[in-house]
Amino acid sequence: MAKRGLGRGLAMLLPEAAEISQGQVREIDIAAILPNPYQPRTLFDPVALEELAQSIREHGVLQPILVRETDSGKFEVVAGERRLRAAQRAGLTRIPAMVRACSEREMLEVAIVENLQREDITPIEAAKAYFRMMREFGLTQEQVAQRVGKTRTAIANALRLLQLPEEVQESLERGEISEGHGRALMMAERPDAILRLWAVVKSRGLSVRETERMAKAARQAISPSPAPASPPDPQIQYIQERLQGALKTRVALHFASSGAGRIEIFFYSLDELERLLDHLVPQEG
């Protein structure tokens, strides 16, 4: 089966990158090139990097990197940081590059898409990059999905991984567990339960399905037994059913003897939370 491409590739984000002519390419001193400050990738496989460096020693850099010029006269990598690192290893002092003016947001977007297309980015790195796009540039999940060629559900699922305990996120970055394991561990809900189960997953080499079963069992084990329910007040039940119908999710009403109370609105994914937000607090305009 052919590998499915991203909906938005580098050529769509930076059209000039798709049509690099020899006249546009410059030889730039590697010492004058700085890393992409928005590079989401923090881990570069040293073995793969050395293999690329060896290829560069034999054949040179076949594809120019993309850079932007800074106010200080230096350059920052937009795309091709892996090639730059390999060229440094190969002992090169200059590298072919195309200079292009681009914004900080474009630098982050291109770095994400480049790594996704090469499958060189870990799930946690991708999730942190998506979150950074939302936080620094005010994008919604839908807008992030459009920019990087993913579905909104894929972005929401990736962001959920950032709710895992730090130790589990680091384990996922190191490749000790898979993204599927990470999502399965989330089912245990409590951080202490997730950490205990994570240790078991690693020591026993559990599959994703086995992890899901254990996470569900752990969640049920810590859930308190429900108290005997008193007959519901018809008026309260009517209000609760109306709220559930309007919000299309589970709603619980809680009353104190004074007549005060609270409303609980349940959601089961970040997508659903955003849907509820749009319903309850419509955007102006």
Side-chain angles (χ1 to χ4, degrees), residues 49-67:
L49 210 54
E50 181 54 40
E51 289 175 351
L52 180 56
Q54 183 58 36
S55 174
I56 288 174
R57 292 185 190 103
E58 295 179 10
H59 308 290
V61 179
L62 301 181
Q63 182 182 3
I65 65 172
L66 196 62
V67 299

Side-chain angles (χ1 to χ4, degrees), residues 48-262:
L49 210 54
E50 181 54 40
E51 289 175 351
L52 180 56
Q54 183 58 36
S55 174
I56 288 174
R57 292 185 190 103
E58 295 179 10
H59 308 290
V61 179
L62 301 181
Q63 182 182 3
I65 65 172
L66 196 62
V67 299
R68 75 167 185 174
E69 191 166 6
T70 67
D71 294 337
S72 65
K74 288 187 176 292
F75 300 89
E76 288 178 336
V77 178
V78 178
E81 187 161 333
R82 181 169 171 268
R83 270 167 283 149
L84 176 64
R85 289 176 181 238
Q88 289 174 313
R89 281 194 175 214
L92 272 61
T93 58
R94 296 173 69 81
I95 190 170
M98 188 183 89
V99 182
R100 182 191 188 275
C102 65
S103 67
E104 283 78 6
R105 191 177 85 176
E106 285 177 317
M107 290 186 72
L108 177 55
E109 290 172 355
V110 171
I112 293 171
V113 172
E114 180 186 31
N115 283 297
L116 287 173
Q117 287 183 333
R118 294 174 181 271
E119 298 183 350
D120 281 343
I121 192 170
T122 71
I124 293 297
E125 288 172 338
K128 288 179 178 178
Y130 300 150
F131 180 73
R132 190 173 183 181
M133 290 177 72
M134 295 172 66
R135 181 190 64 201
E136 296 189 16
F137 305 120
L139 301 181
T140 65
Q141 288 184 19
E142 183 67 37
Q143 289 170 327
V144 171
Q146 291 173 353
R147 296 300 298 174
V148 302
K150 293 283 187 178
T151 65
R152 179 176 169 179
T153 300
I155 300 299
N157 286 338
L159 291 170
R160 289 187 68 232
L161 296 174
L162 299 181
Q163 299 174 27
L164 288 167
E166 193 67 30
E167 298 94 325
V168 182
Q169 291 188 38
E170 292 172 357
S171 179
L172 184 50
E173 284 195 287
R174 291 191 298 268
E176 295 173 346
I177 60 174
S178 70
E179 183 176 357
H181 283 106
R183 289 198 296 268
L185 288 168
M186 293 286 293
M187 297 180 184
E189 294 185 349
R190 282 179 32 178
D192 57 339
I194 291 174
L195 286 169
R196 285 195 298 269
L197 181 53
W198 163 65
V200 173
V201 170
K202 285 202 308 174
S203 63
R204 298 185 188 176
L206 298 182
S207 68
V208 171
R209 182 156 295 188
E210 290 170 328
T211 304
E212 288 176 349
R213 285 198 293 266
M214 292 191 68
K216 289 177 182 177
R219 182 179 61 199
Q220 292 170 354
I222 62 176
S223 298
S225 301
S230 56
D233 181 292
Q235 180 65 13
I236 292 175
Q237 187 174 21
Y238 169 72
I239 294 172
Q240 183 169 294
E241 289 175 355
R242 283 194 63 187
L243 285 169
Q244 289 181 157
L247 299 176
K248 295 180 173 55
T249 189
R250 181 186 167 201
V251 175
L253 299 180
H254 302 273
F255 286 87
S257 57
S258 63
R262 70 179 191 274

